[in-house]
Amino acid sequence: MDEETLPPLVEEAHRQHLRVFTHTVMVKRGKTAARAGVDALAHSVQDGPADAELIALMKQHGTRYSPSLAVYLPERVDGSGKARAGTEAYRQREANFANALRNVKTLHDAGIPIVLGTDAGMTGTPHGASTLRELELFVQAGLTPTEALVAGTRASAEALALDDRGSIEVGKRADLLLVTGKPWERIGDIRNTRQVYVAGHKVVGKGG
């Protein structure tokens, strides 16, 4: 959307206490969205590096960044893109993905909150598996495992204004994922799921 259309839509959404995310994959469009006051850029700006102007606009307007790296993997999460390796389209995906990875680290280091989203449901990007892969890709991009976990929990809850979840505190929903290992040191351990609780009720796993 252009700069005449988007700001009034964002203003009205905020008046209705709604958050606004935009599908944004270009640096120029990212600036338009941030200038309009959107709450988060969804998907990666990947046509070039995130520059000082984009960073300044995102900081000024409190815009977060949800890069959905998993959907841009050249080979895709389920491996369905491997057959196209070597084609011009595949090489372009590789170049875009390299920009996407660098921009996550650039924006994170600049103080822009990174939040987790995957565009799951798209071809080659299944629900569940994409979320776990996204956490690993955050670390590949340069975040620490702990920073990746915060992006996928507290920061994401804050981005959606869900104040009753996102961290383990008295009075908050007991949405818990129990795993074997130390994902704050080895992010891959997040795959070792043993139990899942939603609002305090166990929905996956053995034991009481």
Side-chain angles (χ1 to χ4, degrees):
M1 294 184 182
D2 59 37
E3 297 202 34
E4 288 71 40
T5 305
L6 188 55
L9 291 176
V10 173
E11 182 180 355
E12 178 60 20
H14 287 168
R15 194 176 71 80
Q16 300 290 339
H17 307 292
L18 299 172
R19 293 295 175 99
V20 181
F21 286 30
T22 59
H23 177 119
T24 307
V25 297
M26 298 170 62
V27 174
K28 178 181 178 180
R29 296 298 186 187
K31 294 174 184 178
T32 298
R35 202 175 284 116
V38 305
D39 297 288
L41 304 184
H43 305 317
S44 299
V45 290
Q46 54 189 279
D47 62 329
D51 59 20
E53 183 183 10
L54 176 61
I55 291 169
L57 285 168
M58 293 179 74
K59 283 188 170 183
Q60 178 184 350
H61 296 282
T63 303
R64 298 167 173 83
Y65 192 59
S66 178
S68 60
L69 294 169
V71 79
Y72 294 115
L73 272 171
E75 70 277 14
R76 301 191 184 279
V77 172
D78 66 356
S80 61
K82 290 182 179 179
R84 297 181 299 161
T87 65
E88 182 58 33
Y90 189 88
R91 285 190 288 271
Q92 186 60 58
R93 283 181 67 87
E94 288 183 312
N96 290 346
F97 188 70
N99 283 332
L101 281 177
R102 283 192 292 268
N103 286 337
V104 169
K105 185 70 162 78
T106 296
L107 293 171
H108 173 265
D109 288 351
I112 303 300
I114 306 299
V115 301
L116 193 152
T118 66
D119 210 18
M122 291 292 289
T123 302
T125 315
H127 290 282
S130 298
T131 298
L132 301 180
R133 190 71 181 102
E134 189 78 4
L135 291 169
E136 294 171 335
L137 290 170
F138 283 172
V139 174
Q140 183 178 331
L143 275 63
T144 68
T146 296
E147 289 168 342
L149 292 172
V150 170
T153 53
R154 187 181 69 212
S156 291
E158 290 173 350
L160 294 169
L162 298 175
D163 299 331
D164 64 339
R165 66 200 75 183
S167 58
I168 301 174
E169 298 179 53
V170 174
K172 289 194 174 185
R173 281 171 52 113
D175 292 344
L176 304 172
L177 175 69
L178 306 185
V179 303
T180 299
K182 299 179 179 181
W184 54 90
E185 295 178 0
R186 297 180 300 274
I187 194 62
D189 286 352
I190 200 69
R191 295 179 177 275
N192 303 328
T193 303
R194 292 297 174 264
Q195 293 181 339
V196 178
Y197 290 80
V198 176
H201 300 286
K202 187 177 64 180
V203 295
V204 173
K206 299 178 180 179

